[in-house]
Amino acid sequence: MAKITFITTDNKNITVEGTSGSVMQLAVDNSVPGIDGDCGGVCSCATCHVHVAPEHVEKTGTASEIEEDMLDLNDYSNEYSRLCCQLEISDKLDGLVLQVAESD
Amino acid sequence: MSGNFTKEQICVVIGASHAGVNFAFSLRKEGWQGEIILFDKDPMLPYHRPPLSKAYLTSEDGIEKNLLKSAESYKNESINLNLGVWVSTINREDKTVVLSDGGVQKYDKLVIATGARPMIPPIPGIDTADHLYPLRTAEDVENIRNAFNASLNKRVVVIGGGYIGLETAASIKKLGGTVTVLEREKRVLERVTTPKMSGFFEQLHAINGVDVLTNKNVVSINTDKGSNTIICEDGDTFEADIIVVGVGVKVNMELAKEAGLNIENGILVDETACTNDKDIYAIGDCTFHHNPHYKRYIRLESVQNAVDQAKVAAAAICEKNPVYDSIPWFWSDQYDVKLQMVGLSEGYNDVLIREEEGENTKFSIWYFKDDILLAVDGINNAKAYVLGTKFIKDGKKIDKSKLTDASVPFKPANLLME
């Protein structure tokens, strides 16, 4: 069980709990604004872009090469960027805080 | 609240797949106060379609892992989802739809998101073949999986070497079947890509043990005691326990046509996804729409188009004056290869291939009309895909010699003309 907090682009905090699946699916199931997951979670669309709270990078690890490439030219990406379809929910993610990235 | 819509108004959506469902949620987000009612023939909660021929076919997971939205989401947004019910007639004069169960539903705004259905070619014996399936719905996949598990010999023939056919072949191979793909044209993916890409996929399947045969026009199917013999025009025959048909789709536009809406290669809509009836919109695979970037009318079978048109229609109904202006994108996963495509290559007169140094399964194909970049296909190359997307959008001139020089790093500043 992991409690995950999303901070939306208009600064609302949404905290939800999940046990399995991807963080993207959890966000979509809970209608977190700004997380669309159009490709269904296969790292093909970049519509689930989040920034991991800097102090929580250890929980999530860093982006894979393809994920980095997908975010390479995104105006809103930075060193804390992840596609949350690539974050698998586990106890390790408990307490994670994610800022929903803006989109163009 | 902007616009003059009220709580009493009703928006009816025909079809609850990617387009219909995204539309319903977008409409709520845009501020629609009234009822939103979706109808779909498929009895299952709406799900993602692309995984069906890919990960879903080979997984033990039920469709609940692939839902577009959870059951609660519909309740939370007051979206009235009616599954297993379809619309049989649209009456534009009294603004009602007649349902398959005989019911009648009034609408103020109507959205047609009926998509397309698999085409079953008129091959003699196709109607009586055993374990022959299309692949469009979760039920189709269940049928294929069940037949596969029950089959002793597990000989699967896929008719059609397009994306659905090739993805299905890769998935069934992963399950341990003997798989043959029969393509009528001289190369796979002929309609949608270049010889280089076709060759790459033909080789990829060969390496993985799938027989991909081209110039194979199926002319009849004989079925005896549960075993099918597929006969091709050149006299070759193939035995199959299971046949998957993936030869393209037919657009579900009969309802629109009978209602007198303008039809061409799909339901004709304007840049706001509106039909020739101001209270009826159409979105997704079933539409023939204008793409401003390519300055022509197109019909697209893709999630991107379904989602983007859904957003445009929702905004338009809420009187926000949006315009559809998307660059099409698409992806396919086969084995451990990811293909990502952006743009429309039709009309190209120059193709450049960029191979990445030291990597033979990482390359990209760049389609130009003279100096204008039309489209990019990337194989295991998300960087080429995002760079292509940016260049197509910006319309800036690219230095072609630098593009094909793998020692020049993939960065916009390196590749644009001085």
Side-chain angles (χ1 to χ4, degrees):
Chain A
M1 178 81 79
K3 240 185 207 174
I4 296 172
T5 300
F6 296 91
I7 305 171
T8 64
T9 49
D10 53 0
N11 273 322
K12 284 196 185 97
N13 282 23
I14 301 175
T15 301
V16 288
E17 281 182 3
T19 48
S20 65
S22 75
V23 173
M24 180 279 286
Q25 199 59 47
L26 180 71
V28 169
D29 284 351
N30 289 283
S31 305
V32 174
I35 305 285
D36 295 336
D38 289 345
C39 79
V42 294
C43 203
S44 287
C45 68
T47 61
C48 65
H49 180 190
V50 292
H51 295 135
V52 177
E55 65 273 23
H56 291 161
V57 168
E58 216 167 275
K59 289 181 194 285
T60 60
T62 51
S64 66
E65 188 189 337
I66 182 167
E67 213 181 316
E68 266 185 14
D69 287 349
M70 285 296 290
L71 291 165
D72 192 29
L73 298 178
N74 189 303
D75 290 346
Y76 301 97
S77 77
N78 64 24
E79 59 187 305
Y80 303 109
S81 286
R82 293 297 307 264
L83 295 177
C84 63
C85 69
Q86 302 299 301
L87 298 176
E88 191 71 21
I89 296 175
S90 72
D91 294 349
K92 215 177 135 192
L93 296 190
D94 192 37
L96 181 65
V97 177
L98 301 169
Q99 170 83 50
V100 177
E102 294 199 44
S103 57
D104 351 77
Chain B
M1 189 175 71
S2 70
N4 47 18
F5 33 94
T6 66
K7 278 186 178 163
E8 285 70 43
Q9 286 186 308
I10 301 169
C11 182
V12 168
V13 186
I14 311 174
S17 192
H18 289 267
V21 167
N22 274 287
F23 167 79
F25 282 83
S26 297
L27 189 67
R28 205 46 102 199
K29 202 167 132 194
E30 295 287 0
W32 177 266
Q33 301 281 306
E35 275 193 72
I36 302 173
I37 308 173
L38 271 78
F39 294 101
D40 201 290
K41 201 175 199 167
D42 196 325
M44 295 189 204
L45 265 183
Y47 46 84
H48 285 276
R49 302 250 176 188
L52 294 179
S53 51
K54 306 178 182 98
Y56 185 59
L57 185 55
T58 56
S59 124
E60 301 277 303
D61 290 343
I63 202 68
E64 66 279 359
K65 296 261 183 198
N66 281 289
L67 297 180
L68 286 171
K69 302 277 178 184
S70 63
E72 296 75 48
S73 308
Y74 297 91
K75 287 196 194 105
N76 294 343
E77 299 290 332
S78 300
I79 292 165
N80 183 342
L81 181 62
N82 295 274
L83 300 172
V85 187
W86 60 96
V87 168
S88 53
T89 317
I90 299 168
N91 293 318
R92 287 166 58 195
E93 272 179 24
D94 59 2
K95 294 176 77 168
T96 60
V97 294
V98 181
L99 306 171
S100 55
D101 59 10
V104 174
Q105 174 62 56
K106 279 191 74 64
Y107 68 79
D108 294 286
K109 298 286 178 188
L110 180 67
V111 176
I112 303 172
T114 44
R117 62 186 180 276
M119 179 157 49
I120 303 296
I123 298 169
I126 204 163
D127 294 335
T128 49
D130 233 32
H131 298 307
L132 179 140
Y133 310 102
L135 200 161
R136 179 88 185 173
T137 64
E139 190 189 359
D140 294 333
V141 177
E142 300 294 339
N143 286 336
I144 293 169
R145 266 199 218 159
N146 292 341
F148 186 83
N149 291 336
S151 161
L152 282 181
N153 296 319
K154 304 194 187 300
R155 294 168 303 182
V156 181
V157 170
V158 178
I159 302 178
Y163 288 113
I164 290 284
L166 293 179
E167 289 171 1
T168 304
S171 298
I172 291 175
K173 191 69 210 175
K174 201 173 161 192
L175 290 175
T178 304
V179 191
T180 307
V181 178
L182 303 177
E183 167 57 47
R184 188 179 63 180
E185 304 302 331
K186 64 180 186 301
R187 59 183 173 93
V188 300
L189 302 171
E190 190 181 40
R191 248 179 351 110
V192 286
T193 191
T194 52
K196 159 93 183 171
M197 194 59 95
S198 299
F200 174 79
F201 278 104
E202 285 169 9
Q203 205 190 356
L204 177 70
H205 282 270
I207 291 166
N208 283 280
V210 169
D211 274 332
V212 176
L213 305 171
T214 52
N215 291 313
K216 292 292 175 209
N217 187 23
V218 176
V219 290
S220 69
I221 301 172
N222 288 339
T223 303
D224 186 33
K225 295 185 185 111
S227 179
N228 305 297
T229 304
I230 296 166
I231 300 154
C232 292
E233 198 173 26
D234 61 6
D236 274 4
T237 61
F238 300 89
E239 300 298 317
D241 306 298
I242 298 162
I243 303 172
V244 180
V245 181
V247 298
V249 295
K250 269 192 168 164
V251 181
N252 290 326
M253 55 187 181
E254 290 81 358
L255 267 181
K257 197 172 180 182
E258 282 158 17
L261 298 175
N262 286 345
I263 300 286
E264 280 187 43
N265 174 26
I267 304 167
L268 189 67
V269 294
D270 69 11
E271 67 278 9
T272 67
C274 193
T275 68
N276 55 306
D277 179 324
K278 69 173 178 43
D279 294 317
I280 304 181
Y281 289 71
I283 54 179
D285 288 11
C286 65
T287 66
F288 194 54
H289 60 273
H290 190 255
N291 186 297
H293 187 84
Y294 292 94
K295 299 184 180 63
R296 61 188 155 88
Y297 276 84
I298 53 176
R299 199 178 65 74
L300 283 174
E301 291 155 32
S302 77
V303 169
Q304 167 271 317
N305 178 53
V307 173
D308 287 342
Q309 276 191 322
K311 288 176 186 163
V312 166
I317 287 173
C318 293
E319 299 174 3
K320 307 253 171 92
N321 298 320
V323 170
Y324 185 90
D325 189 10
S326 300
I327 311 287
W329 57 264
F330 182 85
W331 80 96
S332 177
D333 297 327
Q334 294 168 44
Y335 310 105
D336 54 354
V337 164
K338 183 185 276 294
L339 164 68
Q340 290 171 288
M341 312 169 77
V342 58
L344 298 172
S345 61
E346 197 184 307
Y348 69 88
N349 56 16
D350 191 13
V351 182
L352 296 178
I353 297 169
R354 175 177 165 118
E355 317 258 3
E356 300 307 320
E357 276 180 327
E359 309 216 38
N360 55 7
T361 57
K362 187 171 180 179
F363 62 92
S364 50
I365 304 184
W366 298 67
Y367 303 83
F368 292 86
K369 186 175 188 197
D370 304 322
D371 286 330
I372 298 166
L373 179 64
L374 297 178
V376 178
D377 300 345
I379 288 287
N380 295 327
N381 200 332
K383 200 165 267 187
Y385 167 77
V386 297
L387 201 59
T389 305
K390 185 176 173 56
F391 287 162
I392 293 169
K393 272 187 189 156
D394 295 351
K396 287 185 180 151
K397 292 255 161 66
I398 297 167
D399 186 325
K400 291 181 180 178
S401 64
K402 285 184 181 164
L403 179 66
T404 49
D405 181 351
S407 69
V408 176
F410 244 163
K411 293 227 158 42
N414 294 349
L415 301 172
L416 292 172
M417 290 289 248
E418 306 268 311

